[in-house]
Amino acid sequence: MTSLITSLHQSLEITPLDNDQVQVTVVLPSDLLNSYQSLLESLIGFVSHINHEKHHQRLRAAADLSVKAVLSKADYHKRLVKSYDDYTASGLSRTDAIRRISADLSKEKHPWAGVDLVRKSLIEAGRSGRVGRPSSRRNEP
């Protein structure tokens, strides 16, 4: 009896088609048909398993990034609060403290160095403030 692999090599014909496709033709003895079908089913199961594992790896990587981002944001908030408290304790106004923090972060090329991001993050971290433009009533007694 001829092995399936030998038979495949001897009777395999590949024809190029349009759109980067190929036509694969295999001529088999009828007694190898079930073995060939089992081989194809095994390959399909193997490829499916690999794709499933790749999907799970991507999900695990995304979850790891999400955890790192949350930790990074918490560290960022701690840093902002400490800097804000130091600057306001030294007599700077809220606006000047935020600008100074933004400048400090910009020197380090921090991705969240923008004044608006610092202001919003300080509010999220529990420091008083208001999103948007300052109130016109601020200077009133």
Side-chain angles (χ1 to χ4, degrees):
M1 180 175 189
T2 308
S3 77
L4 179 59
I5 300 298
T6 305
S7 181
L8 287 175
H9 280 298
Q10 291 172 352
S11 67
L12 186 66
E13 184 180 320
I14 300 173
T15 308
L17 300 175
D18 294 336
N19 300 328
D20 292 328
Q21 293 184 355
V22 293
Q23 176 180 337
V24 178
T25 306
V26 178
V27 178
L28 295 173
S30 60
D31 61 332
L32 291 179
L33 183 59
N34 288 338
S35 298
Y36 182 71
Q37 182 180 355
S38 295
L39 173 69
L40 291 179
E41 287 173 353
S42 296
L43 287 174
I44 290 169
F46 177 70
V47 170
S48 176
H49 177 72
I50 289 173
N51 287 336
H52 186 71
E53 283 299 312
K54 282 184 188 177
H55 179 69
H56 278 276
Q57 287 174 354
R58 275 183 263 144
L59 290 177
R60 282 191 289 272
D64 290 345
L65 286 176
S66 175
V67 168
K68 287 178 184 176
V70 167
L71 293 175
S72 177
K73 189 172 183 181
D75 292 340
Y76 174 70
H77 281 182
K78 286 179 192 173
R79 179 179 178 183
L80 290 183
V81 167
K82 183 181 179 330
S83 296
Y84 179 78
D85 290 344
D86 291 345
Y87 284 135
T88 54
S90 69
L92 290 177
S93 68
R94 176 179 172 75
T95 303
D96 291 337
I98 290 171
R99 286 183 184 146
R100 184 77 57 93
I101 293 167
S102 177
D104 293 344
L105 292 171
S106 292
K107 286 179 190 174
E108 299 173 16
K109 299 185 189 287
H110 195 285
W112 301 332
V115 173
D116 292 336
L117 291 173
V118 171
R119 183 178 294 113
K120 181 180 180 225
S121 295
L122 279 170
I123 293 168
E124 288 176 9
R127 290 302 180 256
S128 63
R130 196 176 145 197
V131 178
R133 297 186 340 199
S135 173
S136 60
R137 290 182 262 153
R138 183 174 271 177
N139 295 330
E140 292 179 10

